[in-house]
Amino acid sequence: MTRLWNDPADFADEMIDGFVAANERYVRRVPGGVIRSTEVPAGQVAVVIGGGSGHYPAFGGLVGAGLAHGAAMGNLFASPSTQQVHAVATAASAGGGILFSYGNYAGDVLNFDAAQQRLRAEGIACETVTVTDDIMSADAADTHRRRGIAGDLTVFRSAAAAAAAGYDLAGVTRVARLANDRTRSFGVAFTGCTLPGAPAPLFSVPAGRMAVGLGIHGEPGIDEVDIPTADGLAQLLVERLLDERPDGADGRVIPLLNGLGSLKYEEMFVVYRRIAQLLADAGLEVIDPHVGEYCTSFDMAGTSLTLFWLDDELAELWETPVDTPAYRRGAAPAAARVSGPVAADAASARIEPGDPESVVVAGTVRRAVEAIVRTVDLHVDELGRIDAIAGDGDHGIGMQRGSHAALAAATRAAGAGAGAGTVLASAADAWSDRAGGTSGALWGVILSSLAAALGDRTRPDGAQVAAGVAAGARAVMDYGKAEVGDKTLVDALVPFSTELARAVDAGAALTDAWRSAASAATTAAAATADLLPRMGRARTHGQNSVGTPDPGAHSLALIVTAVGDVLAAAEERN
């Protein structure tokens, strides 16, 4: 279990501050994460990695000479926000373009892709290679759907070595894809992990049993078996991975036995002893074996084996020296420390006052965001519990961080005399930035779309509000690629939008239409309990989530119900 924290909501930020204070030789703090504190040659491709916190040494611990140039670091088990990724990439850029690489998780893909679009629009060349090494998360025919686990390291290191060798962005991208294609991983766990402040682990494994095919965000395994002997585990790991030997791979392989947080090194050495024997028996040449912690899952007791199949180019690149806070290989030449301020992301635009009618509506918007905060705070434990059943258990704390940041931003904007649209747009940006993850990105999209419909002039009518909600629903489906029936937030959002538009078109007052729509969303959210997930992290756990509603749909239904009460109170005041 996790024992030491102050406020769980501040844990990730305080952890990053402490990490930087302890490793100023290697890294310096920037908004959203860390970059190298040493000079980078002008024109070199910058390899920017990232993901949720809770996986040390991934991701900040892998920033330094010979490896990543920067790491965007999200909240615990939640992807960094678009703003965080953009800020880190901007600070890390050396003029040769940016390669983004990270584990293939929905929230990371959403936010890194959005940051990439922004950077390209600003004239910075960017490419992306997602890591898909986990063989248990999808069939071999669907490798593009697989998630990234400890194999992150081989892809990151290969790409960074190519950058250090002077490859251009296309070349670095090609090497990263080649490394990913030649990396396979498979993991097991004996206990779940416990987030700071949480009363229980995200999942549990019965005594004497072992979860097979788990994720690194506290997701439970795909299967459960009796704990084998150390030799038996070694055989299970090696046999499964050799069954997926990449086409054209020769006999050179780098094995990486990764501890997931609280498995002792001595235990892993016992397991690796047999792994080495089995690889030799298979006629393979083992090069530079790794046994240690490379991508953890907080305090989870478990391990994963990665096999990285070399060719001549990858073997040569692998010899590039690396010197980072948590990972060192060879003797990297000393580099000069960077001095001067860090390049910052663009500053927020000055708030323009709204007209008198819109300012009145802005007060209602701020009270609505305040009601969202109260609702999320009341249900935060429940949302985390639901999310832990087939996900990673962070939905409650992510929604809490996002909504609190949204309220602070809305309060500042309203206090500056902003209109309704600007107040809600400020809340949207703060929510997506602070929450990160999939839900942060999607709530940012929803609120931004509604903000555009509200505007900062005059009082919006029901048709404008309904149009804004409809635009938000379309944007969420375009952005996240989910549809009704996939067991996501969309399953509640679309019925809410549809009923709101129907009721407004039928002549209902906005408050009545909203409450009718909230009822439809509540019914639809409850019905997601019967669905099999087809998107997101819960997808790999299939049947485990049947009987439990989707946490995103459930939280949306709670929120729109609470906002309906705010609209009713505003109607009474007027």
Side-chain angles (χ1 to χ4, degrees), residues 137-480:
S137 55
D139 293 334
D142 291 316
T143 55
H144 67 284
R145 297 173 67 91
R146 288 179 170 177
R147 60 195 175 195
I149 51 176
D152 282 352
L153 176 62
T154 64
V155 179
F156 298 165
R157 182 173 170 185
S158 298
Y167 287 44
D168 63 10
L169 180 58
V172 172
T173 303
R174 177 186 59 78
V175 166
R177 287 179 179 145
L178 176 63
N180 184 59
D181 290 344
R182 287 174 167 262
T183 301
R184 305 284 189 276
S185 301
F186 174 38
V188 300
F190 314 104
T191 68
C193 56
T194 307
L195 296 179
L202 293 176
F203 71 92
S204 59
V205 184
R209 301 282 284 176
M210 176 177 75
V212 176
L214 71 151
I216 59 165
H217 297 88
E219 304 101 328
I222 306 299
D223 195 9
E224 193 179 279
V225 300
D226 289 337
I227 296 178
T229 62
D231 284 1
L233 176 58
Q235 185 164 345
L236 171 66
L237 296 173
V238 171
E239 287 182 350
R240 290 286 187 97
L241 292 177
L242 291 185
D243 284 343
E244 285 224 6
R245 181 170 176 159
D247 292 339
D250 63 21
R252 291 173 292 174
V253 66
I254 294 176
L256 188 153
L257 187 64
N258 173 62
L260 283 162
S262 61
L263 193 69
K264 300 302 294 182
Y265 274 58
E266 289 84 350
E267 294 174 272
M268 288 192 288
F269 287 134
V270 173
V271 175
Y272 184 74
R273 159 196 150 275
R274 182 56 179 156
I275 289 173
Q277 294 169 354
L278 291 168
L279 294 176
D281 291 347
L284 301 175
E285 179 186 0
V286 172
I287 295 174
D288 192 19
H290 287 48
V291 179
E293 291 183 343
Y294 305 102
C295 186
T296 60
S297 187
F298 236 79
D299 61 333
M300 186 185 293
T303 186
S304 63
L305 177 63
T306 298
L307 294 183
F308 178 41
W309 301 83
L310 298 173
D311 65 5
D312 290 343
E313 181 180 30
L314 293 172
E316 182 177 353
L317 290 171
W318 195 258
E319 295 303 314
T320 303
V322 177
D323 189 23
T324 76
Y327 182 80
R328 300 177 184 90
R329 278 298 196 269
R337 291 280 298 277
V338 175
S339 59
V342 175
D345 219 5
S348 298
R350 177 179 174 270
I351 292 177
E352 294 291 339
D355 74 4
E357 283 189 298
S358 187
V359 168
V360 172
V361 178
T364 300
V365 169
R366 196 206 67 81
R367 287 189 291 274
V369 178
E370 190 174 36
I372 292 173
V373 168
R374 289 196 302 269
T375 301
V376 171
D377 285 349
L378 181 63
H379 296 278
V380 63
D381 291 338
E382 176 194 10
L383 296 176
R385 179 191 62 79
I386 293 172
D387 192 35
I389 291 173
D392 55 16
D394 71 338
H395 186 67
I397 193 169
M399 292 290 287
Q400 193 171 52
R401 283 167 60 99
S403 61
H404 278 260
L407 177 58
T411 300
R412 285 194 298 271
T422 294
V423 169
L424 191 55
S426 299
D429 190 62
W431 188 317
S432 64
D433 186 25
R434 186 64 175 163
T438 304
S439 66
L442 297 184
W443 273 97
V445 167
I446 294 168
L447 298 181
S448 294
S449 299
L450 184 54
L454 295 181
D456 291 326
R457 295 290 178 267
T458 72
R459 179 183 296 272
D461 59 20
Q464 287 174 271
V465 173
V469 171
R474 289 193 301 271
V476 164
M477 289 189 285
D478 289 343
Y479 197 48

Side-chain angles (χ1 to χ4, degrees), residues 106 486 488 533-540:
D486 285 342
T488 70
R534 298 193 303 228
M535 295 286 288
R537 288 178 187 159
R539 173 185 56 80
T540 57

Side-chain angles (χ1 to χ4, degrees), residues 56-71:
Y56 192 83
F59 293 89
L62 304 179
V63 174
L67 233 164
H69 296 73

